[in-house]
Every structure is written in structure tokens, then in C-alpha cells.
Amino acid sequence: MPREEFIGHNIGKDEANKKLNLAAEMYGFADPAFRDTKEDPSEEYTSELFGDGWEQIPAPSTGKRRRALFAGYHRGMEILVIVFTTKTRKTASGRSYYGDVQPWIKYLDVDLEMWEELKGYHSTGEWLKFSGVENKFYYPTRASDIDKITQEYLEGLKLPN
């Protein structure tokens, strides 16, 4: 049997290029120069409170007594951070704050659709209950921790040398 009759030897240039692109999509190119860079969906956002890559809003609230002050979301990491008020106590003249540190709570695995829901919701507390976010992973955090995880995220986007 002549060599030209074997499968793969008698395909045209377009078909060969198609197979090369399909294989590259499946397995990647060996040369890093041909690899696509990872896209950062949070690149265009910045926040005074949370930093670069974070979208910030005043936390939705009803009533006179706000429990949540600000909400921040990082689209790339899918992390929501809510800054709550310090502790308060009822006094004769109204409410007084006696805590000196505002609790920051970090919620993991919050997708973009949930963030958009929160932005349009009337109450942060109610949204936390009904969205199911409180049933997932959440932890106390600080501004320095937010800076650290953002930096680690950006480092992960860089291609290896």
C-alpha cells in the first residue's frame, strides 16, 4: 500500500490546520509563548475600601439602624466581603457604639448573579438569609487579609517562566 493512502497523509492543509488547532485546544501548546494569558474579570474595578479589583457598594439597608455598612465583591475570586457596624448598646439618649473594630466577614463562592441580586436587594441581612450564602463558607477577615488574597490571586494569573 502506498504511503499517500494512509489516513493522515492525504488530508489538505486546511484539514491539517484544523487538527492542529483542535489538538492545541485539548492539550495546549508546548511553547509558553503560544499560551493565552488568563483574563481577569475584575481588572476594571477598584475600591477605596477594598482595593484594586474590588467593586464596592453601600450595603443595602432598611430602617434607621444599619447593621452592614459596605459590601465589596471580587469577580475573579468570587468573594464577597461585608463590613458590619461595631457593637452597639441601647442607652437613654439612643444607641452608642462600644466596639472599636468593625467586623469584616468574607463569604466564599459567591457568583456574579448573587452579587447582582445583593446590589438590587433592599436589605443585606435578609439577602444573606434567603440567598443561602450564610449556609456556605464564611470567615472573619481584615483589610490586610483582603490585600494578601488579592495579591495571591494576581500572582496566580501570571504565566510561569
Side-chain angles (χ1 to χ4, degrees):
M1 184 184 279
R3 183 176 180 183
E4 290 77 26
E5 292 180 17
F6 286 118
I7 296 175
H9 291 283
N10 55 358
I11 60 174
K13 288 184 179 181
D14 288 339
E15 188 67 25
N17 191 28
K18 182 179 175 183
K19 288 186 178 193
L20 174 66
N21 288 332
L22 181 61
E25 186 68 32
M26 289 173 60
Y27 304 110
F29 286 106
D31 187 354
F34 291 106
R35 293 187 187 148
D36 289 335
T37 57
K38 295 180 182 176
E39 293 290 325
D40 184 7
S42 58
E43 188 174 31
E44 61 193 50
Y45 297 98
T46 188
S47 162
E48 188 176 310
L49 185 62
F50 300 103
D52 289 339
W54 289 83
E55 187 176 352
Q56 175 184 330
I57 62 167
S61 180
T62 56
K64 295 181 278 185
R65 187 171 159 223
R66 296 181 65 110
R67 292 177 187 90
L69 299 175
F70 298 101
Y73 183 71
H74 196 283
R75 292 171 185 253
M77 293 186 284
E78 293 189 338
I79 293 178
L80 170 69
V81 176
I82 298 178
V83 180
F84 291 93
T85 59
T86 57
K87 297 178 181 178
T88 61
R89 73 168 61 104
K90 194 171 186 177
T91 62
S93 60
R95 294 209 170 268
S96 67
Y97 296 97
Y98 65 91
D100 56 345
V101 177
Q102 295 170 328
W104 288 39
I105 306 296
K106 171 176 62 175
Y107 299 89
L108 305 179
D109 297 328
V110 177
D111 61 23
L112 184 58
E113 184 178 332
M114 295 171 86
W115 169 246
E116 295 295 335
E117 281 178 11
L118 173 62
K119 287 174 28 177
Y121 215 76
H122 63 279
S123 170
T124 304
E126 285 184 28
W127 179 83
L128 286 170
K129 289 178 193 171
F130 296 120
S131 68
V133 171
E134 284 189 331
N135 299 332
K136 293 183 181 180
F137 302 107
Y138 62 95
Y139 309 95
T141 190
R142 301 258 49 82
S144 58
D145 295 338
I146 298 298
D147 294 339
K148 183 179 175 185
I149 61 172
T150 304
Q151 191 60 36
E152 288 172 359
Y153 169 77
L154 292 174
E155 289 294 323
L157 290 178
K158 294 182 181 174
L159 290 176
N161 292 332

